[in-house]
Amino acid sequence: MSFSGCGTLPNGRGWGEDATLFPDGERVKKAAVNALKDPDTWVPAAGAGVFSIGDWDKRVSEWAYEKTPVFGSEENAQKASDYLLMATAAGAVGSSLFTPSGDDPGRWALWKLKGLSVGGAAFWATSQTTAGLKSATGRERPNGLSDKSFPSAHSAHAFSFTKLSLRNLESLPLSRRERLYLGVGLRTTAALTAWARVESHMHYPRDILAGAALASFITGFIHDAFLGLDEKRSVELAVAPGEHGLFYLLRFKF
């Protein structure tokens, strides 16, 4: 496995070179559809829906707080959520710097600035939407300290950074296996960041799942619409009748 911030993408362009404030309508439409079809969006969204049924949300929250199965204590979980969040941020910035943006120092700096600006806009939009929903919903935290429980900002921020990192991996000269392993590591870090908020009694499971879904959609959409990269990835969801009912087929293409 090798990383390099020099060179160019397979199409001869540099990462960040084609970032734009005014993407065409077709690109915007495609970005929105891809963001909705992305499993990183609809899987946690579906999970949040499941936890809305009955009292599962509160029961799992109380169990996690009492047992702290992953972090061992409320204090450890609180600290871990902050440290892990910083790790996801470092991953997003670091992977952006390693993407190929040419060999000329001046152009490299300009294109990195443009690309990082798109990532920053995606994170900002995620953060502002999360804050707005917190104020609009007014859900009390499990520990009763405030009414800013839904959705989880830590979860939204972690998954926003992670989505940016995952997109950056697609521009790096990596094998499919390397992307798979790195992707698992990135998602695991984000998931642990979010789960730590449940064990620290700051959020319910539905809060962190909603934050993850929201971040994946907004960040993926803004990245794909405004960065101007050639997108070779696609995720297709098909529903077809089977002998015992309906079956679902997911097809990934890279």
Side-chain angles (χ1 to χ4, degrees), residues 18 51 66 130 140 161 167 190 205 212:
D18 296 314
F51 275 102
E66 291 174 4
T130 301
E140 186 177 20
F161 286 133
R167 287 293 195 263

Side-chain angles (χ1 to χ4, degrees), residues 57 137-141 146-150 204 206-207:
D57 213 20
T137 57
R139 188 184 197 193
E140 186 177 20
R141 294 185 186 274
S146 75
D147 61 353
K148 305 295 185 182
S149 189
F150 183 91
Y204 295 98
R206 183 158 61 98
D207 302 335

